[in-house]
Amino acid sequence: MTFSAGAGAVDSVDGNRTCAYPHVVMPASTPLDVRPLSRALKALGDETRLRIVALLSHSELCVCHLESVLSLPQSNTSRHLSVLKAAGLVEARREGSWVYYRLAPQLDELCGSQVRALVDAFAKRDVLRREVARVLKSCGPDACK
């Protein structure tokens, strides 16, 4: 089976791609699975969700803390968190009737490196650190218990 015409035509023999030149054998490449990264980048394509990740890069937070910082109703905040959770970016833990969110460890190496770069960039932002400290002080770290 020929893939292209010309002097460097590529044929397929027993699953290996071969060039028209008899001494050149090109092994079939393993496809790169970009789905985890694609899913993460789609989730981060929204300003609110990006801001949530930025806030969670500083501390685990309850939904009520995020509501306060983002000035959003609980339903909107939870919807954004569910998109981030479905993308594997955040994970939740339930304590009584409250749900706390934190950044999830990334199992995919490519996705993990991108999330780490993002978190490192956010960690340098004092304004975010101050915002998290303010909401934890005003609501209290135990306000949700």
Side-chain angles (χ1 to χ4, degrees), residues 7 13 16 19 21 25 31 44 51 53-55 69 79 92 108 116 140:
V13 178
N16 285 326
C19 190
Y21 304 105
V25 175
L44 293 170
R51 193 157 177 229
V53 169
L55 293 165
V69 172
R79 180 177 52 81
D108 180 76
R116 276 190 303 279

Side-chain angles (χ1 to χ4, degrees), residues 105-140:
Q106 298 301 305
L107 303 177
D108 180 76
E109 184 181 331
L110 182 58
C111 190
S113 67
Q114 297 303 310
V115 171
R116 276 190 303 279
L118 192 61
V119 167
D120 289 345
F122 288 139
K124 297 174 185 171
R125 301 291 177 124
D126 286 334
V127 67
L128 292 169
R129 189 176 301 112
R130 285 192 305 267
E131 203 166 22
V132 169
R134 180 189 58 79
V135 74
L136 288 174
K137 184 177 179 182
S138 66
C139 297

Side-chain angles (χ1 to χ4, degrees), residues 12-140:
S12 178
V13 178
D14 296 332
N16 285 326
R17 292 176 43 192
T18 60
C19 190
Y21 304 105
H23 62 281
V24 177
V25 175
M26 299 179 297
S29 63
T30 305
L32 177 64
D33 186 13
V34 296
R35 287 176 294 189
L37 181 60
S38 175
R39 196 173 22 248
L41 292 175
K42 285 178 186 176
L44 293 170
D46 179 88
E47 289 180 26
T48 301
R49 290 192 289 270
L50 193 55
R51 193 157 177 229
I52 289 171
V53 169
L55 293 165
L56 293 177
S57 71
H58 289 277
S59 177
E60 176 183 67
L61 296 170
C62 178
V63 175
C64 69
H65 293 134
L66 291 167
E67 287 174 52
S68 175
V69 172
L70 300 170
S71 300
L72 288 175
Q74 184 272 329
S75 59
N76 287 1
T77 304
S78 292
R79 180 177 52 81
H80 285 296
L81 286 164
S82 70
V83 171
L84 291 169
K85 189 175 178 184
L89 293 169
V90 300
E91 58 187 15
R93 97 179 149 81
R94 183 172 288 280
E95 192 173 302
S97 60
W98 302 102
V99 180
Y100 293 85
Y101 287 88
R102 64 181 168 267
L103 294 179
Q106 298 301 305
L107 303 177
D108 180 76
E109 184 181 331
L110 182 58
C111 190
S113 67
Q114 297 303 310
V115 171
R116 276 190 303 279
L118 192 61
V119 167
D120 289 345
F122 288 139
K124 297 174 185 171
R125 301 291 177 124
D126 286 334
V127 67
L128 292 169
R129 189 176 301 112
R130 285 192 305 267
E131 203 166 22
V132 169
R134 180 189 58 79
V135 74
L136 288 174
K137 184 177 179 182
S138 66
C139 297

